[in-house]
């Protein structure tokens, strides 16, 4: 029982068609069936007399069919009436087959499981679960598990497969007894047996309560697997090899001398961390966190120079074309005077230009390459890539980051993000990263004043824009994404632009949006940067990284529809120069409670860390991780916020398990993560 035997098991025991459906549920190995746990439970242990069946919960009743007919009004449906000694009940089916009709023919005796509600013609059940029975048939003696499933795979089939698997082989323990007892956890085998086949003493509420010891055991195991894999990834990285990068500091000194400002203490500290990390013969995987406007770009430039000094190439990747371009312009302006060639690569580059850039990168003349993910397409190869810098890393999916890691001989990686990782995520999904934090803003920034204004008062806002322009400042007017529809968003931006051109004829009003060609966008942005345009109407393309110090006012339409991180990022586009800056959040009424809560958070906070924390509370971690598009395996059972104590315990015990009981650790990882580990290393 207590040995970490082979638990990988054989392939699923099912016909190919069923196997395919199981695969959709993530069940590939026989053992995965064991970890496919019920969503909820149905109570078929108790029969209610029809007249006494309570509302608002699933109940089982039994009766004789007294009527069964297809009605056509208000739409086609099967209406059945059953009756027991206590009363009558209508069963209503909108979707049904001929077989349902036969099963429910007049005179048959059936059990129906469902929720009773008051209908127009008395009590009814809509789409109950039906079973034909004979008088006195025994009831189930324990609750019936209901599993997550896919179309075409019925509960009975799934239940049978799972139960067969539970009986087929012993479920070995993957925690040493000593550790398990000290944690007060129940044995794994008991926990899964209980959840799949609960005893009669358990109620549905007890079984779905996450605090049930059986659930605690599964959650702990899941979190432990995550911690183990993170530790191993960290270890593997620390043992892997990467070029030792130790420059002489000459280029860095030149850039620093040319800047109109000195680095803040926080910038110096993180730069030192990066520089000493890339001087080690192991791949760096470091996250540089710093609030919007904290000055990450110059740190990236200096880190790049450290690598260039040592004869290596550097790639800097940004999530959007506009942002990548801004980096390119800025970095080229900083590095060209030092005699360093910077290449530019994006998806919208013409074939010929792209070929030229790729040649310079392959030949090694371009010491720094800046671009979008086009930098890491197959036709691009670097002569001597030493450092990869990824800006706004959380905007890239895990898949993209993986592709990047596989490119080249595991060079050092620096990821930058203005969205701080909340503590629980840092402890789990990002546990294999090293983190540097810029916890100080450059001096002389005036805090941004945030105003919440009802969209009905738009005229006042336009007057406010005019005033800002008259004072020599520039303004962003942002039209956010509306209901995921890019076309609609575009239309709003185009309309808004037209209206503002009319309202403010005395000022230059520009428009940028995602559908424009890169060259057009660059043209408009260029005019805005040169102050030929005073007002820039933009879709959310300007969300990240755009840097125009003279812009001191930002108006954001439909602020109530936007995510907090996005609002914070947007707001960070102003307040970069010395002028007093403000951000006007226009909202449409009525506001939902959720929208109110979010606007309150952004109104009351300017600290990105605090906003991220509250954001996580409101949204949950899924969106932060960008898991949906990336295929990152999310936690199935544990909840990072609710199960923080289990997470902490798992984090503490993972290294002990690896150290003292390595076979147990290996067995545990196989059980939980077989074949999926690589995602966790990203
Ligand atoms: P972010 O961290 O949001 O990417 P940026 O790197 O774009 O921030 O920097 C924001 C602005 O602050 C830029 O105009 C940059 O030149 C300026 N900046 C960076 N570091 C300093 C500093 N130490 N002192 C003054 N200004 C700085
Ligand atoms: Mg930036």
């Amino acid at each position: 029982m207590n040995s970490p035997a082979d638990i990988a098991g054989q392939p699923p025991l099912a016909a190919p068609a069923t196997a395919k459906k199981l695969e959709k549920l993530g069940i590939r190995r026989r053992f995965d069936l064991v970890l496919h746990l019920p969503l909820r439970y149905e109570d078929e242990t108790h029969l209610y007399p029809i007249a006494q069946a309570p509302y608002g919960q699933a109940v089982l009743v039994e009766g004789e069919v007294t009527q069964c007919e297809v009605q056509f009004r208000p739409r086609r449906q099967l209406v059945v009436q059953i009756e027991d000694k206590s009363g009558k009940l209508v069963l209503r089916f909108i979707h049904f087959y001929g077989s349902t009709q036969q099963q429910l023919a007049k005179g048959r005796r059936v059990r129906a499981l469902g929720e009773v509600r008051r209908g127009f013609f008395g009590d009814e059940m809509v789409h109950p679960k039906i079973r034909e029975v004979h008088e006195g048939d025994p009831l189930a003696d324990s609750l019936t598990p209901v599993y997550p499933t896919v179309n075409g795979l019925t509960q009975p089939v799934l239940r049978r497969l799972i139960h067969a698997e539970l009986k087929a082989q012993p479920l070995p323990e993957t925690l040493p007894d000593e550790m398990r007892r000290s944690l007060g956890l129940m044995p794994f085998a008991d926990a899964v047996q209980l959840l799949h086949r609960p005893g009669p003493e358990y109620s549905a509420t007890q079984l779905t309560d996450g605090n049930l010891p059986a659930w605690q055991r599964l959650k702990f195991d899941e979190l432990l697997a995550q911690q183990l894999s993170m530790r191993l990834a960290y270890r593997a990285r620390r043992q892997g090899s990467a070029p030792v990068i130790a420059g002489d500091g000459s280029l860095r000194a030149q850039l620093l001398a040319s800047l109109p400002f000195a680095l803040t203490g926080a910038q110096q500290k993180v730069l030192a961390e990066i520089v000493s990390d890339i001087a080690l013969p192991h791949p760096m995987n470091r996250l540089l966190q710093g609030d919007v406007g904290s000055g990450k770009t110059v740190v990236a430039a200096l880190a790049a120079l450290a690598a260039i000094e040592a004869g290596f190439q550097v790639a800097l990747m940004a999530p959007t074309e506009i942002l990548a371009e801004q980096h390119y312009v800025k970095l080229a302006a900083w590095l060209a005077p030092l005699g360093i060639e910077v290449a530019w690569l994006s998806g919208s580059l013409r074939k010929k230009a792209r070929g030229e850039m790729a040649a310079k990168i392959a030949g090694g003349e371009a010491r720094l390459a800046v671009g979008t993910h086009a930098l890491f397409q197959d036709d691009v190869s670097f002569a001597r890539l030493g450092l990869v810098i990824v800006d706004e890393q959380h905007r890239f999916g895990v898949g993209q980051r993986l592709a990047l890691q596989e490119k080249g001989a595991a060079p050092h990686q620096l990821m930058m993000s203005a969205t701080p990782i909340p503590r629980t995520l840092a402890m789990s999904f990002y546990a294999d990263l090293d983190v540097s934090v810029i916890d100080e803003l450059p001096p002389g920034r005036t805090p941004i004043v945030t105003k919440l204004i009802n969209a009905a008062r738009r005229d006042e806002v336009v007057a406010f824009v005019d005033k800002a322009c008259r004072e020599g400042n520039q303004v962003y007017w942002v039209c956010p994404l509306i209901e995921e529809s890019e076309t609609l968003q575009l239309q709003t931006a185009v309309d808004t632009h037209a209206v503002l051109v009319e309202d403010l004829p005395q000022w230059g009003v520009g428009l940028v949006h995602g559908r424009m060609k890169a060259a057009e966008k660059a043209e408009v942005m260029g005019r805005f940067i040169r102050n030929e345009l005073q007002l820039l109407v933009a879709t959310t393309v300007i969300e990240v990284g755009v840097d125009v110090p003279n812009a001191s006012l930002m108006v954001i339409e439909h602020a109530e529809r936007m995510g907090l991180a996005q609002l914070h990022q947007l707001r960070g586009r102003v307040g970069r120069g010395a002028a007093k800056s403000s951000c006007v959040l226009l909202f449409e009424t009525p506001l939902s409670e959720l929208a109110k809560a979010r606007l309150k958070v952004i109104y009351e906070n300017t600290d990105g860390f605090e906003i991220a924390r509250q954001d996580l509370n409101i949204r949950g971690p899924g969106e932060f991780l960008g898991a949906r598009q990336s295929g990152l395996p999310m936690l199935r059972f544990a909840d990072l916020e609710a199960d923080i104590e289990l997470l902490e315990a798992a984090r503490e015990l993972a290294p002990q398990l690896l150290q003292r009981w390595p076979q147990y650790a290996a067995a545990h990882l196989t059980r939980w993560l077989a074949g999926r580990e690589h995602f966790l290393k990203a």
Side-chain angles (χ1 to χ4, degrees):
M1 167 85 183
N2 210 354
S3 90
D6 168 37
I7 52 174
Q10 306 92 32
L13 185 77
T18 310
K20 223 181 223 163
K21 288 173 191 138
L22 289 171
E23 169 120 26
K24 280 195 198 150
L25 294 170
I27 301 171
R28 289 177 198 87
R29 308 164 299 163
R30 290 177 60 150
F31 189 81
D32 294 332
L33 285 164
V34 173
L35 291 180
H36 194 66
L37 292 170
L39 268 183
R40 57 190 175 84
Y41 297 83
E42 278 172 353
D43 190 351
E44 294 180 73
T45 64
H46 183 83
L47 207 52
Y48 283 92
I50 287 174
Q52 275 132 49
Y55 296 115
Q57 74 186 66
V59 292
L60 186 70
V61 297
E62 181 179 317
E64 198 182 301
V65 177
T66 52
Q67 190 187 317
C68 174
E69 61 179 40
V70 178
Q71 293 181 359
F72 292 89
R73 255 157 242 273
R75 58 180 288 187
R76 186 169 179 270
Q77 51 183 288
L78 181 67
V79 179
V80 177
Q81 192 179 60
I82 62 167
E83 196 178 317
D84 69 4
K85 285 189 204 101
S86 75
K88 290 179 187 160
L89 181 69
V90 170
L91 313 179
R92 201 180 285 281
F93 301 84
I94 313 291
H95 308 283
F96 61 95
Y97 299 103
S99 58
T100 321
Q101 235 169 312
Q102 274 159 29
Q103 206 184 5
L104 292 166
K106 200 168 162 184
R108 295 277 170 90
R109 190 163 195 84
V110 293
R111 280 186 191 155
L113 178 75
E115 236 179 73
V116 180
R117 54 174 216 194
R118 261 176 273 249
F120 201 67
F121 302 103
D123 284 354
E124 63 176 31
M125 272 185 192
V126 177
H127 278 270
K129 198 173 116 189
I130 287 296
R131 192 147 57 96
E132 198 188 336
V133 288
H134 301 285
E135 184 126 37
D137 274 358
L139 288 161
D141 58 8
S142 62
L143 298 184
T144 317
V146 180
Y147 295 99
T149 190
V150 290
N151 239 339
L153 188 62
T154 64
Q155 290 293 331
V157 169
L158 201 47
R159 218 173 282 145
R160 208 172 323 116
L161 284 168
I162 291 170
H163 287 183
E165 189 52 34
L166 284 172
K167 272 197 224 138
Q169 40 192 327
L171 299 169
E173 187 52 66
T174 57
L175 293 184
D177 265 352
E178 182 188 329
M179 183 182 274
R180 183 177 65 72
R181 293 228 171 81
S182 75
L183 289 164
L185 290 171
M186 73 191 288
F188 176 79
D190 297 355
V192 285
Q193 289 287 355
L194 191 152
L195 294 172
H196 284 297
R197 328 198 58 168
E201 68 275 26
Y202 290 98
S203 73
T205 356
Q206 278 173 308
L207 285 170
T208 41
D209 177 354
N211 290 319
L212 190 73
W215 279 120
Q216 292 279 304
R217 171 63 205 253
L218 281 146
K219 290 174 175 190
F220 177 80
D221 277 20
E222 180 176 46
L223 291 166
L224 180 66
Q226 188 191 39
Q227 291 299 320
L228 289 171
S229 83
M230 287 291 171
R231 288 240 143 216
L232 290 178
Y234 190 86
R235 247 194 219 175
R237 175 158 66 79
R238 285 292 167 180
Q239 281 159 9
S241 63
V244 170
I245 299 183
D248 62 6
S250 55
L251 292 173
R252 277 170 279 169
Q254 283 181 58
L255 175 61
L256 283 171
S258 75
L259 291 174
F261 53 77
L263 295 188
T264 61
Q267 284 171 317
Q268 287 171 16
K269 178 196 71 185
V270 300
L271 184 62
E273 285 165 358
I274 296 162
V275 167
S276 62
D277 218 1
I278 58 178
L280 298 175
H282 315 295
M284 172 175 78
N285 198 5
R286 185 172 286 275
L287 178 69
L288 172 59
Q289 287 193 350
D291 205 346
V292 179
S294 63
K296 295 183 289 294
T297 318
V298 70
V299 172
L302 289 160
L305 286 177
I308 294 169
E309 280 162 12
F312 288 93
Q313 283 175 304
V314 177
L316 191 152
M317 174 168 86
T320 66
E321 184 123 5
I322 286 206
L323 180 56
E325 221 167 284
Q326 278 237 323
H327 279 316
Y328 171 70
V329 169
K330 190 162 214 169
L331 290 165
W334 279 342
L335 303 197
L338 313 183
I340 291 161
E341 187 163 345
V342 183
W344 161 250
L345 207 67
S346 84
S348 66
L349 221 54
R350 291 256 163 73
K351 206 166 170 200
K352 180 151 169 279
R354 185 189 170 98
E356 281 167 19
M357 288 298 174
K360 284 190 173 173
I361 293 169
E365 296 103 272
R367 314 291 297 278
L368 173 64
V370 180
T372 57
H373 61 268
L375 277 176
F376 292 94
Q377 306 299 301
D378 288 340
D379 61 339
V380 184
S381 67
F382 286 80
R384 210 173 168 220
L385 185 59
L387 172 65
V388 174
I389 303 175
V390 184
D391 196 16
E392 307 296 343
Q393 66 84 27
H394 66 282
R395 304 260 310 222
F396 289 97
V398 169
Q400 267 162 324
R401 273 181 277 150
L402 274 175
L404 193 148
Q405 247 168 8
E406 279 155 19
K407 194 97 189 173
H412 301 282
Q413 239 189 78
L414 177 67
M415 292 168 284
M416 306 198 284
S417 177
T419 308
I421 300 177
R423 193 173 77 97
T424 48
L425 287 180
M427 278 167 62
S428 50
F429 287 96
Y430 289 85
D432 77 318
L433 295 180
D434 293 307
V435 180
S436 293
V437 183
I438 306 185
D439 50 10
E440 173 188 3
L441 289 179
R445 297 272 166 86
T446 38
I448 304 165
V449 178
T450 300
K451 298 178 182 153
L452 287 170
I453 298 183
N454 191 324
R457 292 169 52 198
R458 192 185 157 105
D459 287 351
E460 290 166 49
V461 177
V462 172
F464 196 54
V465 169
D466 179 50
K467 181 164 169 278
C469 294
R470 271 189 278 125
E471 287 165 358
N473 295 310
Q474 287 171 277
V475 182
Y476 292 106
W477 190 295
V478 181
C479 305
L481 196 75
I482 290 166
E483 329 257 69
E484 313 289 316
S485 158
E486 209 193 323
T487 320
L488 244 171
Q489 179 189 25
L490 191 61
Q491 197 48 49
T492 353
V494 170
D495 294 348
T496 304
H497 175 249
V499 172
L500 288 170
V501 165
E502 243 171 61
D503 286 352
L504 298 162
Q506 62 278 38
W507 304 114
V509 185
L511 171 67
V512 280
H513 57 71
R515 290 276 178 84
M516 282 161 73
K517 294 228 173 69
E520 294 171 335
K521 268 189 273 186
E523 210 262 325
V524 178
M525 285 307 293
R527 291 177 60 204
F528 188 63
I529 290 166
R530 292 190 299 273
N531 201 359
E532 292 161 28
L533 297 172
Q534 286 70 47
L535 177 58
L536 185 68
V537 177
T539 54
T540 37
V541 289
I542 63 155
E543 181 189 337
V544 282
V546 175
D547 186 24
V548 180
N550 194 45
S552 69
L553 172 61
M554 170 167 290
V555 180
I556 303 176
E557 291 197 51
H558 282 296
E560 79 281 1
R561 294 183 183 175
M562 298 179 62
L564 291 185
Q566 207 182 14
L567 282 173
H568 180 64
Q569 289 268 355
L570 276 171
R571 185 171 58 179
R573 297 308 110 213
V574 292
R576 299 203 150 202
K580 195 161 173 294
S581 299
S582 30
C583 177
V584 172
L585 303 178
L586 288 176
F587 61 87
E588 304 276 341
T589 46
L591 282 176
S592 69
E593 286 308 309
L594 182 67
K596 271 186 208 160
R598 294 159 94 211
L599 288 176
K600 186 162 181 280
V601 170
I602 200 79
Y603 179 73
E604 288 178 348
N605 296 283
T606 50
D607 175 359
F609 280 73
E610 183 54 25
I611 291 169
R613 200 185 63 74
Q614 302 206 21
D615 197 15
L616 187 76
N617 275 346
I618 297 177
R619 290 191 307 174
E623 211 167 321
F624 185 95
L625 289 166
R628 229 166 300 136
Q629 68 284 32
S630 68
L632 185 84
M634 293 290 289
L635 294 167
R636 282 194 278 167
F637 308 124
D639 174 317
L640 289 182
E641 296 297 311
D643 301 315
I644 178 86
E645 277 165 33
L646 290 174
L647 172 61
E648 271 161 2
R651 195 166 121 99
E652 196 183 314
L653 290 170
Q656 291 181 32
L657 198 65
L658 285 168
Q659 184 83 43
R660 290 179 59 195
W661 294 285
Q663 315 92 294
Y664 281 91
H668 192 83
L669 277 167
T670 311
R671 166 171 289 173
W672 283 87
L673 293 173
R676 285 182 284 187
E677 303 89 328
H678 69 285
F679 277 114
L680 291 169
K681 287 188 206 134

